[in-house]
């Protein structure tokens, strides 16, 4: 998120308001004063969602408060998933178990069109929101997002989604579009609401309490709106769903026949309390119950040592020790004040505060490949009489990890707005900060752990050879070490990240710059300055301050002394951005037999970044209304997105992941060193759209919008699996891939990688919507359908990827076809990119009663992380969920007067997400784990 015309969406009052009326200027028999016209257009945009969407030059989806409530969403995350144009929600609670390098906690991302996190401009009341401090990898590079959860669902007046590139109008990083949250600023009265819901068959439930009040004082010159929201969720353990309760999904019911028994679906870990070791006399060996075959050395307590790698049926199933959905407590406060200084001048101010505590548990860590260490011959619990190397071991008896994430943010805004003749103007000052404190309790200090394993004193020695639970070999530890010994090496590990945004702007606009034969020309212009900062302070055990050293050889093994976590240095950066823009809306034709209106929008925006240069981007949009009930619209714009600060400033980020190595024909954990790149160039894009709006009746509207986005220089990184395939290919040809560093045993020591501008990509799709409203003697009916069809998602492969793909196509055995080369060529239907998404609703209202039925549909796609030997990926079935609600509003003189009680059920059929080879057995970025969900909502107005 970079070049953002925050001022311009503050221009939302004028720009979108004017755009909304472009299609029908002839309906106005006379031209009212410019100020009154602007206000009226804001009201139209906010009150008539479908008509506002239909009549605009640009495709805009606007959800009113009633629309938002009809979704039954308890969080912004849930609300965004009801909009088909929103792609995968990559930052979500169930995406992964959550390592210290993840943006874990109470965070949700925004991703229009599925282009990727960071390609959507996100605003609050027309101005930019600060980025969430936490980052996580997407396409193997760190991405940042606005945290959607900082805003309360109940506090929204409306949600506006511009489904078109808007670089010149709203900000140069609005590649996929713009999302603008509009909170209540003119609320009158007081209301309180309580919402409680629970997920059937699980412990997950959540309660939301909201209160809002608005009042005027100071002889009605001053108005204050305030709202306070509290949200409390009890989470869900992985053991509570069939698809997540075990990481061995080889026999999961409903799997396609060709995948039944496929070991790729066995995600249990080879890092276990049974351990994997090596010594000069035994070679590789592991501990096991002595009732199993292969014992070569008898040990105590029914255990023995067996040569070779740990067998698959002894792998550790981590699911039993994991939270899937975190517990969350969240507080949101919002206030907005306006004060009329005189008829032409108004002061405004805004204050927002957000705080959330998130808690989850997960299994204890095992050592990484880079953290392999030796055990001295004279260690107290070494029964082998020789030095032993620990290849992998997981100290389960130390207990699991308790992860707490505290998220806070605030935002302060003040400004003036006024009128001077036919011109209106506005200026504002904004400052916002966000802070995340991530604390992982009961982590293991690797240096202290290694010393305990090597101790020669019983009181301080850790027995690493005492195995797991002989009665349940896949989980637990039946022979724990003394707690006093465990306490010697357990510790808390923290990560504190912070972002800030300072912003100042000034803008002017007029609806009557001058007059053309077809009508008045509108004009807007403005300037903006902002400063963005980012810092990431890692625990000293993680940032390289206390590297892990082998006590016997003195060799530095890893920059991290946290068992199971890769080293990551601290990072910080900042940038200043200056923007200036201009915009004209001109009526070309009006009141003609074949052109009731023809209007043109021209916009130009300049942005200068202190670290990556400057850019000038245009936009042209046209709206033609040949006859009543028919509109054609189109737009062309240039876009720009600067690399985010972590992509530029991060250095030497080490990551350890399990990958398949075709050279050794085995899968094991290996280290990848990723580095930021100060020489990254900005991403460029071209956005085109064409639309058709048909309104055969006043209460019936159809919209069709085609869109196309071409991007160049998208920041990415070559996947480590592709590096390994390329290394295998080169070795078969007598050379090597220099980015892959191997040891004497042939195994990978590390893969060196750097963020870079990759090859072009093109994305294309169609949006379709229908709105029909009907008034009858038995009530009002509203029907709405919103669908998004993805036609194309092509990523041109880079030179290395192209060579690997060509070798696979030729059947070269050095690059097995079962290893899907990710992120190249046709990506449609891959990994959360379905061809179709749709949302439909039918709502009815009659006197104090109302009810509604809604449905969400996601078509099928594939999971490329698992494939047959012929390269066919795992299919992910389509999914449809149906929801319903009914409510009654009391209108009498009792205590219940103006009280609404709503009962609802989401996912009536209790549909479960399709099985996938993901952390919890499903694509959490696309599907939900809630199942059938019941809720009650009570609202009282005063």
């Amino acid at each position: 998120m970079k070049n953002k015309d925050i001022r311009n969406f503050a221009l939302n009052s004028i720009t979108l308001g004017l755009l909304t009326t472009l299609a029908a200027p002839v309906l106005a028999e006379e031209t009212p004063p410019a100020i009154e016209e602007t206000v009226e257009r804001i009201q139209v945009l906010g009150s008539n969602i479908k008509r506002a969407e239909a009549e605009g030059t640009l495709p805009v989806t606007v959800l009113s408060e009633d629309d938002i409530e009809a979704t039954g969403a308890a969080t912004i995350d849930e609300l965004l998933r009801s909009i088909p144009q929103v792609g995968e929600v990559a930052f979500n609670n169930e995406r992964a178990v959550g390592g210290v390098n993840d943006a874990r906690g109470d965070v949700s991302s925004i991703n229009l069109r599925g282009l990727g996190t960071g390609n959507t401009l996100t605003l609050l009341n027309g101005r930019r929101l600060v980025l969430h401090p936490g980052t996580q990898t997407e396409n193997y590079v760190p991405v940042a997002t606005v945290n959607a959860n900082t805003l309360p669902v109940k506090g929204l007046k409306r949600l506006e989604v511009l489904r078109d590139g808007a670089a010149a109008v709203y900000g140069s990083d609005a590649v996929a579009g713009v999302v603008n949250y509009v909170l209540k600023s003119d609320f009158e009265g007081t209301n309180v609401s309580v919402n409680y819901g629970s997920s059937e068959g699980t412990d997950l439930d959540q309660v939301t309490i909201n209160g809002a009040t608005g009042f005027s004082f100071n002889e009605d010159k001053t108005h204050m709106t305030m709202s306070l929201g509290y949200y409390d969720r009890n989470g869900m353990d992985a053991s509570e769903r069939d698809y997540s309760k075990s990481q061995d999904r080889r026999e999961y019911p409903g799997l396609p026949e060709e995948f039944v028994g496929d070991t790729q679906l066995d995600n249990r870990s080879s890092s276990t309390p049974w351990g994997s070791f090596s010594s000069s006399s035994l070679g590789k060996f592991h501990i096991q119950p002595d009732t199993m075959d292969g014992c070569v050395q008898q040990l105590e307590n029914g255990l023995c040592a067996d040569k070779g790698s740990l067998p698959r049926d002894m792998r550790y199933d981590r699911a039993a020790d994991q939270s899937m959905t975190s517990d969350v407590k969240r507080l949101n406060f919002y206030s907005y004040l306006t004060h009329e200084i005189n008829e032409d001048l108004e002061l405004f101010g805004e204050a927002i505060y957000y705080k959330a505590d998130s808690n989850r548990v997960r299994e204890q860590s095992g050592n990484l490949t880079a953290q392999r260490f030796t055990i001295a011959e004279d260690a107290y619990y070494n029964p082998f009489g020789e030095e032993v190397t620990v290849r992998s071991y997981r100290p389960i008896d130390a207990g699991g990890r308790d992860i707490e994430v505290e998220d806070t943010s605030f935002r302060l805004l003040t400004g003036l707005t006024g009128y001077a003749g036919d011109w209106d103007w506005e200026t504002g000052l904004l400052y916002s900060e966000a802070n995340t404190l991530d604390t992982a309790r009961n982590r293991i200090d690797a240096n202290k752990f290694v010393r305990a394993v090597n101790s020669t004193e019983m009181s301080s020695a850790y027995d690493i050879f005492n195995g797991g639970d002989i009665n349940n070999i896949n989980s637990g530890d039946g022979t724990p070490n003394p707690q006093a010994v465990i306490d010697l090496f357990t510790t808390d590990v923290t990560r504190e990240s912070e972002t800030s945004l300072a912003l100042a702007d000034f803008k002017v606009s007029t609806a009557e710059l001058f007059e053309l034969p077809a009508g008045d020309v509108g004009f807007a212009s403005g300037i903006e300055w902002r400063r963005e900062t980012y810092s990431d302070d890692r625990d000293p055990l993680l940032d390289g301050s206390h590297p892990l050293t082998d006590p016997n050889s003195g060799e530095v093994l890893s920059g991290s002394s946290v068992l199971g976590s890769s080293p990551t240095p601290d990072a910080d950066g900042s940038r200043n951005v200056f923007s200036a823009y201009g915009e004209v809306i001109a009526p070309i034709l009006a009141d003609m037999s074949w052109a009731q209106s023809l209007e043109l929008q021209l916009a130009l925006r300049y942005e200068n970044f202190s670290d990556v240069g400057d850019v000038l981007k245009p936009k042209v949009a046209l709206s033609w209304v040949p006859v009543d009930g028919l509109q054609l619209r189109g737009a062309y714009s240039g876009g720009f997105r600067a690399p985010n600060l972590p992509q530029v400033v991060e250095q030497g980020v080490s990551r350890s992941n399990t990958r398949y190595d075709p050279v050794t024909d085995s899968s094991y954990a290996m280290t990848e060193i990723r580095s930021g790149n100060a020489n990254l160039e900005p991403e460029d894009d071209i956005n085109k759209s064409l639309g058709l709006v048909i309104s055969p009746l006043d209460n019936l509207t159809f919209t069709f919008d085609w869109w196309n986005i071409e991007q160049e220089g998208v920041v990415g990184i070559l996947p480590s699996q592709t590096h390994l395939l390329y290394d295998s290919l080169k070795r078969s040809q007598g050379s090597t891939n220099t980015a892959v560093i191997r040891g004497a045993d042939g195994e990978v020591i590390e893969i060196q990688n750097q963020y870079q501008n990759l090859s072009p990509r093109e994305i294309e799709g169609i949006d379709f919507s229908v709105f029909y409203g009907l008034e009858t003697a038995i009530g009002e009916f509203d029907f709405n359908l919103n669908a998004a069809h993805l036609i194309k998602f092509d990523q041109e492969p880079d030179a290395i990827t192209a060579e690997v793909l060509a070798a696979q196509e030729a059947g070269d055995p050095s690059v097995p076809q079962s290893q899907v080369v990710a992120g190249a060529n046709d990506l449609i239907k891959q990994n959360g990119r379905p061809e179709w998404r749709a949302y439909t609703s039918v709502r009815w209202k009659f006197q104090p009663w109302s009810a509604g039925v809604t449905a969400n549909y996601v078509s099928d796609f594939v999971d490329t992380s698992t494939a047959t030997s012929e390269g066919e990926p795992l299919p992910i079935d389509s999914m449809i969920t149906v929801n319903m609600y009914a409510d009654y509003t009391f209108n009498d003189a009792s205590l219940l007067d103006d009280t609404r009680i709503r009962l609802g059920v989401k996912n009536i059929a209790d549909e479960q997400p399709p099985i996938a080879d993901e952390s919890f057995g499903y694509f959490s970025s696309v599907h939900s784990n809630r199942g059938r969900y019941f809720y009650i909502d009570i609202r009282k107005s005063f």
Side-chain angles (χ1 to χ4, degrees):
M1 307 184 55
K2 316 250 167 347
N3 317 338
K4 211 188 275 192
D5 212 33
I6 300 170
R7 300 313 145 192
N8 235 347
F9 212 127
L11 215 72
N12 181 23
S13 328
I14 292 102
T15 308
L16 280 182
L18 287 170
L19 295 178
T20 303
T21 58
L22 286 181
V26 300
L27 297 181
E29 295 184 1
E30 61 182 56
T31 304
I35 294 175
E36 293 179 8
E37 183 176 319
T38 300
V39 173
E40 180 181 354
R41 284 163 182 164
I42 295 171
Q43 292 172 345
V44 169
L45 179 62
S47 65
N48 191 338
I49 300 167
K50 283 75 181 181
R51 299 295 293 177
E53 174 184 344
E55 293 175 357
T57 299
L58 303 175
V60 179
T61 298
V62 182
L63 300 184
S64 70
E65 188 175 0
D66 288 341
D67 297 318
I68 292 168
E69 285 197 338
T71 67
T75 65
I76 296 290
D77 179 298
E78 296 175 13
L79 175 62
L80 291 173
R81 291 172 186 257
S82 69
I83 302 174
Q85 289 77 22
V86 173
E88 314 96 283
V89 181
F91 285 56
N92 70 82
N93 216 237
E94 297 85 21
R95 184 190 73 88
V97 181
V100 70
N101 296 313
D102 265 334
R104 53 192 181 186
D106 183 44
V107 57
S108 176
S109 60
I110 302 166
N111 180 17
L112 281 178
R113 306 296 192 197
L115 257 65
T117 305
N119 283 280
T120 302
L121 182 69
T122 309
L123 309 174
L124 173 63
N125 295 334
R127 285 181 169 88
R128 169 185 297 264
L129 282 160
V130 69
L131 293 175
H132 181 68
T135 63
Q136 64 188 38
T137 59
E138 196 171 301
N139 296 324
Y140 309 101
V141 299
V143 294
T145 182
V146 165
N147 183 8
N149 288 338
T150 58
L151 304 175
V153 173
K154 287 289 186 179
L156 287 178
K157 181 177 182 179
R158 64 183 183 271
L159 173 65
E160 302 169 341
V161 181
L162 174 60
R163 299 176 279 109
D164 189 62
V169 180
Y170 301 122
S172 292
D173 57 333
V175 179
V178 179
V179 173
N180 182 41
Y181 299 100
V182 181
L183 295 179
K184 298 173 184 176
S185 60
D186 54 0
F187 180 69
E188 290 285 350
T190 300
N191 68 39
V192 177
S193 65
V194 178
N195 181 291
Y196 174 79
S198 65
S199 170
E200 185 177 73
T202 76
D203 290 335
L204 186 144
D205 64 359
Q206 47 196 11
V207 61
T208 306
I209 304 172
N210 286 279
T213 187
F215 52 90
S216 297
F217 57 99
N218 192 21
E219 299 180 343
D220 289 338
K221 292 183 178 181
T222 308
H223 185 272
M224 171 72 80
T225 298
M226 293 186 293
S227 69
L228 182 66
Y230 175 74
Y231 171 80
D232 190 345
R233 180 179 70 203
N234 291 318
M236 185 188 303
D237 290 336
S239 60
E240 296 185 70
R241 293 296 191 198
D242 288 342
Y243 48 81
S244 58
K245 67 182 181 182
S246 173
Q247 293 186 323
D248 183 4
R249 303 182 180 101
R250 291 175 293 173
E251 306 294 332
Y252 189 82
L255 270 178
E257 183 178 351
E258 61 270 28
F259 288 93
V260 174
D262 193 325
T263 56
Q264 295 175 93
L265 293 171
D266 183 5
N267 292 316
R268 294 176 300 174
S269 175
S270 58
S271 177
T272 76
W274 302 104
S276 178
F277 311 94
S278 63
S279 70
S280 58
S281 63
L282 294 176
K284 289 184 181 179
F285 69 93
H286 60 274
I287 309 302
Q288 65 181 29
D290 62 10
T291 55
M292 299 178 67
D293 295 336
C295 293
V296 295
Q297 182 169 333
Q298 187 67 38
L299 303 175
E300 297 178 353
N301 301 319
L303 303 175
C304 72
D306 181 16
K307 285 189 174 182
S309 300
L310 189 83
R312 181 174 295 276
D313 58 9
M314 290 187 69
R315 290 188 172 187
Y316 171 56
D317 197 336
R318 296 165 287 186
D321 300 320
Q322 294 177 345
S323 299
M324 179 162 52
T325 302
S326 300
D327 298 341
V328 171
K329 297 183 187 298
R330 179 192 307 150
L331 182 71
N332 299 92
F333 172 76
Y334 170 71
S335 67
Y336 193 89
L337 180 142
T338 59
H339 174 70
E340 181 183 312
I341 298 174
N342 57 49
E343 290 185 353
D344 294 327
L345 184 61
E346 182 179 87
L347 171 73
F348 62 89
E350 176 188 279
I352 294 177
Y353 179 75
Y354 156 83
K355 180 176 176 57
D357 290 331
S358 172
N359 289 273
R360 68 186 300 132
V361 296
R362 63 171 300 187
E363 77 287 351
Q364 189 54 259
S365 295
N367 64 303
L368 303 175
T369 301
Q371 295 175 325
R372 291 174 176 174
F373 62 93
T374 59
I375 305 173
E377 178 182 344
D378 62 348
Y380 186 86
Y381 284 113
N382 185 351
F384 298 101
E386 61 178 335
E387 184 177 87
V388 175
T389 297
V390 179
R391 299 181 62 81
S392 70
Y393 179 77
R394 189 183 298 271
I396 296 299
D397 56 357
R401 289 172 279 173
D402 183 5
I403 299 164
E404 180 182 8
V405 182
E406 300 172 65
D407 289 307
T408 58
S409 69
F410 70 87
R411 169 181 165 116
L412 298 172
L413 166 69
T414 187
L416 292 168
T417 182
Y419 303 99
D422 292 333
W423 293 79
D424 60 85
W425 59 272
E426 181 175 310
T427 185
L429 293 172
L430 179 152
Y431 184 75
S432 185
E433 271 188 18
N435 179 276
T436 295
L437 178 60
D438 183 311
T439 304
R441 296 185 173 87
N442 206 44
R443 292 302 305 265
I444 292 176
D445 184 330
N447 275 302
K448 293 180 178 179
F449 177 70
V450 169
R451 287 198 292 270
V453 172
N454 276 276
S455 176
T456 58
E457 301 291 332
M458 179 180 177
S459 61
S460 59
Y462 182 87
D463 187 358
I464 200 172
F465 300 111
N466 67 359
D469 187 345
I470 60 175
N471 298 312
N472 186 4
I473 60 175
N474 300 119
S475 63
D477 190 340
T479 55
N481 279 268
Q483 187 62 45
V485 174
I486 292 172
D487 290 342
L488 296 175
F489 52 75
T490 53
T491 187
D492 293 346
V493 174
T494 63
R495 173 189 180 187
E496 185 168 14
S497 306
E498 188 168 278
T499 52
S500 72
L501 169 68
L503 182 150
D505 64 8
F506 178 79
K507 63 181 182 181
V508 297
S509 64
T510 178
E512 302 175 351
L513 182 64
F514 58 86
E515 187 176 0
L516 293 176
D520 293 325
V521 174
F523 173 78
S525 181
I527 58 174
E528 173 191 294
W529 171 89
R530 68 179 184 268
R531 178 173 176 81
E532 302 169 347
T533 69
Y534 162 78
S535 66
D536 189 8
D537 184 13
R538 304 293 181 124
D539 194 283
L541 295 178
L542 275 172
D543 67 10
S545 300
H546 300 283
L548 172 61
T549 303
D550 189 295
N552 299 305
S553 67
E555 178 186 358
V556 174
L557 303 175
S558 170
S560 169
S561 186
V562 179
L563 200 71
S565 291
S566 304
T568 302
D570 298 339
D572 64 86
S574 64
R575 62 163 52 119
N576 297 321
V577 186
F578 172 78
S579 305
Y581 68 86
E583 179 182 358
V584 174
I585 296 179
I588 308 301
L589 298 172
D591 299 325
M592 302 182 69
S593 59
W594 52 274
Q596 291 202 10
S597 73
L598 177 64
E599 298 210 25
L600 175 69
Q601 178 200 17
L602 298 174
L604 190 67
R605 183 181 181 93
Y606 171 78
E607 298 212 356
N608 182 283
F609 288 76
S610 60
D611 54 349
V612 293
D614 57 2
V615 66
L616 185 68
K617 292 296 177 181
K619 185 180 183 77
V620 180
L622 195 67
S623 169
W624 175 35
V625 179
V627 295
D628 277 341
L630 177 63
Q631 181 201 19
L632 290 86
R633 59 192 181 194
Y636 172 94
S637 63
F640 168 87
R641 196 175 80 94
N644 64 46
L645 288 172
Q647 291 169 359
V648 175
V649 302
E650 283 189 349
Q651 293 298 322
V653 177
S654 177
R655 296 290 178 263
S656 182
N657 295 289
T658 297
R659 297 286 185 261
Y660 171 73
D661 182 359
V663 173
T664 62
D665 191 26
S666 60
S667 297
Y668 54 92
M670 56 188 70
T671 299
E672 179 183 1
I673 307 296
R674 302 172 185 167
S675 297
N677 187 348
N679 296 317
L680 285 173
E681 297 178 356
E683 302 173 0
D684 276 310
D685 71 87
I686 295 175
N687 199 309
K688 294 169 284 188
S689 66
L690 291 172
L692 176 67
V693 181
I694 303 174
S695 300
L697 303 171
D698 288 343
N699 57 348
L700 176 62
T701 301
F702 300 88
T703 71
F704 306 85
D705 288 286
W706 167 87
W707 56 271
N708 177 277
I709 301 172
E710 297 179 23
Q711 291 181 286
E712 291 188 357
V714 178
V715 176
I717 203 167
L718 197 63
S720 55
Q721 188 62 67
T722 302
H723 268 301
L724 293 169
L725 291 169
Y726 186 59
D727 186 52
S728 178
L729 176 63
K730 285 302 180 184
R731 286 177 182 273
S732 71
Q733 299 170 349
S735 61
T736 65
N737 175 6
T738 56
V740 178
I741 312 301
R742 296 182 181 271
D745 59 358
E747 289 194 349
V748 174
I749 297 175
E750 67 180 35
I751 301 170
Q752 297 176 349
N753 232 337
Q754 188 178 46
Y755 310 138
Q756 55 187 300
N757 294 102
L758 297 179
S759 302
R761 67 178 181 182
E762 182 178 5
I763 307 95
E764 182 178 321
I766 295 175
D767 295 333
F768 169 73
S769 71
V770 181
F771 169 73
Y772 180 60
L774 181 64
E775 295 185 6
T776 72
I778 59 172
E780 299 176 7
F781 292 86
D782 287 329
F783 170 78
N784 180 35
L785 170 65
N786 184 8
H789 178 41
L790 187 62
I791 298 172
K792 179 186 291 186
F793 204 117
D794 289 343
Q795 172 69 63
E796 184 178 317
D798 59 273
I800 291 178
T801 300
E803 189 173 345
V804 171
L805 287 170
Q808 283 188 330
E809 184 75 18
D812 192 320
S814 67
V815 284
Q817 290 187 354
S818 60
Q819 297 302 307
V820 177
V821 179
N825 291 333
D826 185 4
L827 304 183
I828 198 168
K829 292 186 68 173
Q830 289 188 17
N831 306 322
R833 297 186 186 94
E835 289 184 294
W836 282 97
R837 296 174 187 260
Y839 173 83
T840 186
S841 67
V842 179
R843 291 187 287 168
W844 165 79
K845 186 173 184 179
F846 182 65
Q847 295 176 356
W849 293 95
S850 68
V853 178
T854 67
N856 282 285
Y857 171 75
V858 178
S859 66
D860 63 299
F861 53 96
V862 298
D863 182 352
T864 62
S865 65
T866 298
T868 65
S869 57
E870 290 77 30
E872 292 298 321
L874 176 68
I876 307 298
D877 291 339
S878 62
M879 184 176 182
I880 184 169
T881 55
V882 179
N883 323 297
M884 66 180 299
Y885 70 87
D887 62 52
Y888 180 85
T889 302
F890 293 87
N891 292 302
D892 52 39
S894 70
L895 291 175
L896 293 177
D897 184 40
D898 218 357
T899 298
R900 190 198 69 185
I901 299 178
R902 172 173 290 185
L903 300 175
V905 184
K906 300 179 71 175
N907 192 358
I908 297 171
D910 196 25
E911 294 289 338
Q912 301 300 303
I915 194 69
D917 189 22
E918 298 295 302
S919 296
F920 293 110
Y922 76 106
F923 270 91
S924 63
S925 61
V926 177
H927 302 123
S928 171
N929 67 350
R930 300 303 195 261
R932 186 183 291 120
Y933 180 87
F934 297 90
Y935 68 93
I936 179 172
D937 186 274
I938 302 174
R939 185 182 68 193
K940 169 69 174 176
S941 297
F942 302 92

